[in-house]
């Protein structure tokens, strides 16, 4: 049914797409971008986010007593990428720059080549972190760094085998301070749009990630209002930059209560209902795929709520015009990381745990969990 829906969407948008293309400068990469989008939008599959910075993966390794060195980072990621039948559930992998160029343990091929042989699309994190201050002093709001030289870096990453990219914008909710501020939302939406345009001009499908982090005690209604405002502004700027919406992927947060709210892991029905409502209100049908970030949710909650969104739509008179699936990091890796615990003889157990979670997410993305 979902494949039929996607075919109907393609048919509905074909006439509109012609006028969109007439209004844009053709990049020369359109066919390649379209093929990448088709792969990333395959029903029943999602993206593995393995683009943790050296600092972030260090924190994960610290939790299991593993030293944060290149050899351990490479071993861990190669363990995930070589898991049996990973290609059944994973369509693409977001890589950190170190991993894009890393060789396999035996030195015979790159990790990027391992993915491509499995028909998994390699992607690349291109932002340099949410470090540019915006808004009022003391509020801690940021825009994301990495715009300088982005075109040249995208071209180099394409040459190295990457076919999509990711840029993460970080926004936070603070009800008392009225955050996120209009300035922060505007700045991040502009940056996401500029990044997306530069990616398309250099052959990379942009994953547009406006993350509203779950920190705080706010309720799900506040999250709904903020998420709707942010997505509206993001698409406003994507249109201003003439980004081809058919050749991008959206990676939003689900509409969840703050992590400090006692309902944060409980209110599944409202999370699913409000997330669906916001997406239908804000995301144009031309976008081929919406792949959620897990946003600090537990592994179970991230798959449970995705499953519920699909079940709700199956019971309604609406169908999703986009593939609605996952782009998870922690929610795919946490159990596997614990199973490995830095002992390389546990690699097989780690792969089994990873595939178990990937299969669960796959079923959830079809409403069949």
């Amino acid at each position: 049914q979902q494949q039929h829906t996607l075919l109907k969407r393609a048919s509905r948008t074909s006439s509109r797409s012609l006028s969109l293309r007439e209004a844009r400068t053709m990049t020369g990469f359109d066919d390649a971008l379209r093929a990448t989008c088709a792969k990333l939008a395959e029903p029943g599959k999602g993206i593995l986010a393995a683009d943790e910075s050296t600092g972030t993966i260090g924190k994960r390794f610290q939790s299991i007593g593993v030293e944060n060195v290149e050899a351990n980072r490479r071993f861990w990621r190669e363990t995930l990428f070589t898991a049996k039948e990973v290609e059944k559930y994973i369509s693409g992998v977001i890589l950190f720059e170190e991993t894009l160029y890393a060789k396999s343990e035996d030195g015979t091929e790159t990790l990027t080549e391992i993915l491509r042989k499995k028909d998994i699309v390699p992607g690349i994190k291109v932002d340099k972190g949410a470090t540019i201050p915006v808004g009022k002093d003391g509020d801690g709001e940021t825009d994301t760094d990495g715009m300088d030289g982005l075109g040249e870096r995208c071209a180099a990453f394409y040459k190295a085998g990457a076919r999509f990219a990711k840029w993460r914008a970080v926004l936070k909710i603070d009800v008392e301070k009225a955050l996120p501020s209009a300035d922060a939302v505007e700045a991040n939406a502009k940056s996401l749009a500029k990044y997306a345009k530069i990616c398309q001009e250099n052959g990379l499908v942009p994953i547009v990630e406006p993350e509203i982090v779950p920190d705080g005690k706010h309720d799900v209604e506040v999250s709904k209002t903020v998420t709707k405002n942010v997505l509206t502004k993001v698409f406003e700027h994507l249109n201003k930059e003439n980004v081809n919406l058919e050749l991008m992927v959206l990676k939003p947060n689900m509409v969840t209560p703050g992590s400090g709210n006692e309902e944060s892991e409980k209110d599944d029905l409202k999370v699913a209902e409000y997330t669906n409502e916001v997406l239908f209100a804000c995301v144009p049908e031309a976008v081929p795929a919406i792949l959620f970030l897990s946003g600090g949710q537990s592994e179970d909650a991230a798959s449970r709520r995705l499953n519920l969104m699909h079940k709700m739509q199956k019971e309604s008179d609406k169908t999703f015009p986009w593939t609605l699936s996952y782009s998870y990091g922690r929610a795919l890796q946490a159990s596997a990381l614990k199973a490995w615990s830095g002992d390389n003889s546990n690699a097989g157990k780690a792969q089994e745990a990873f595939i178990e979670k990937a299969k669960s997410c796959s079923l959830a993305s079809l409403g069949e969990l």
Side-chain angles (χ1 to χ4, degrees), residues 9-297:
R9 180 187 64 76
S11 174
R12 287 199 304 271
T13 59
S14 59
S15 59
R16 182 171 68 245
S17 301
L18 290 174
S19 60
L20 281 171
R21 291 194 196 100
E22 287 166 3
R24 293 184 170 92
T25 302
M26 299 294 280
T27 67
F29 286 108
D30 277 31
D31 288 345
L33 292 167
R34 207 168 296 282
T36 299
C37 278
K39 283 292 300 177
L40 299 180
E42 280 190 71
K45 295 186 181 183
I47 286 176
L48 167 65
D51 60 323
E52 301 93 348
S53 66
T54 304
T56 298
I57 201 168
K59 293 174 185 175
R60 308 242 175 113
F61 280 1
Q62 187 177 18
S63 71
I64 56 168
V66 173
E67 187 181 2
N68 184 19
V69 294
E70 193 278 335
N72 286 337
R73 295 192 294 270
R74 181 209 45 74
F75 184 89
W76 171 241
R77 284 158 173 162
E78 185 174 355
T79 297
L80 297 176
F81 303 168
T82 56
K84 186 179 179 181
E85 297 188 330
V86 61
E87 65 274 12
K88 280 188 175 182
Y89 314 112
I90 302 297
S91 59
V93 176
I94 311 170
L95 305 171
F96 192 57
E97 187 172 348
E98 173 185 87
T99 316
L100 182 68
Y101 298 101
K103 288 284 187 74
S104 59
E105 186 175 20
D106 62 14
T108 60
E109 57 190 341
T110 64
L111 299 189
T112 301
E113 288 166 339
I114 288 174
L115 292 173
R116 293 175 76 87
K117 284 181 180 178
K118 287 178 172 281
D119 201 25
I120 295 172
V121 185
I124 182 71
K125 168 188 168 78
V126 298
D127 72 72
K128 294 185 177 181
T131 58
I132 302 172
V134 294
K136 292 180 182 178
D137 289 344
D139 283 348
E141 293 190 298
T142 58
D143 190 9
T144 300
D145 190 18
M147 204 61 70
D148 290 347
L150 181 58
E152 291 81 2
R153 285 188 290 121
C154 284
F157 294 148
Y158 183 92
K159 190 175 180 180
R163 290 298 177 265
F164 70 96
K166 190 201 84 167
W167 178 288
R168 177 175 176 250
V170 181
L171 295 155
K172 64 179 183 177
I173 294 175
D174 186 318
V175 176
E176 289 184 4
K177 293 183 178 180
L179 303 182
S181 66
D183 287 347
V185 173
E186 181 81 9
N188 280 281
K190 281 183 177 179
S191 292
L192 283 167
K194 288 179 181 177
Y195 139 82
K197 185 65 174 176
I198 291 168
C199 282
Q200 289 182 345
E201 290 170 346
N202 287 280
L204 301 180
V205 169
I207 292 188
V208 174
E209 182 178 357
E211 179 177 6
I212 301 158
V213 294
D215 306 352
K217 296 183 178 180
H218 53 274
D219 61 28
V220 70
E221 280 79 12
V222 170
S223 180
K224 175 185 173 184
T225 299
V226 172
T227 303
K228 189 172 183 179
N229 290 343
V230 168
L231 289 179
T232 299
K233 186 60 70 173
V234 166
F235 279 99
E236 176 187 316
H237 282 285
L238 288 168
N239 285 320
K240 283 182 179 178
E241 286 287 341
N242 282 328
V243 172
N244 190 330
L245 301 185
E246 295 180 356
L247 304 178
M248 61 158 278
V249 170
L250 180 68
K251 181 173 177 172
N253 52 277
M254 294 183 191
V255 176
T256 64
S259 56
N261 188 301
E262 60 184 16
E263 299 297 315
S264 64
E265 283 288 317
K266 300 176 186 176
D267 211 351
D268 290 355
L269 283 171
K270 275 191 177 178
V271 168
E273 178 189 347
Y274 285 1
T275 302
N276 284 354
E277 183 181 328
V278 168
L279 295 179
F280 273 110
C282 299
V283 184
E285 291 186 3
V287 174
I290 299 172
L291 308 179
F292 290 109
L293 57 92
S294 51
Q297 298 177 87

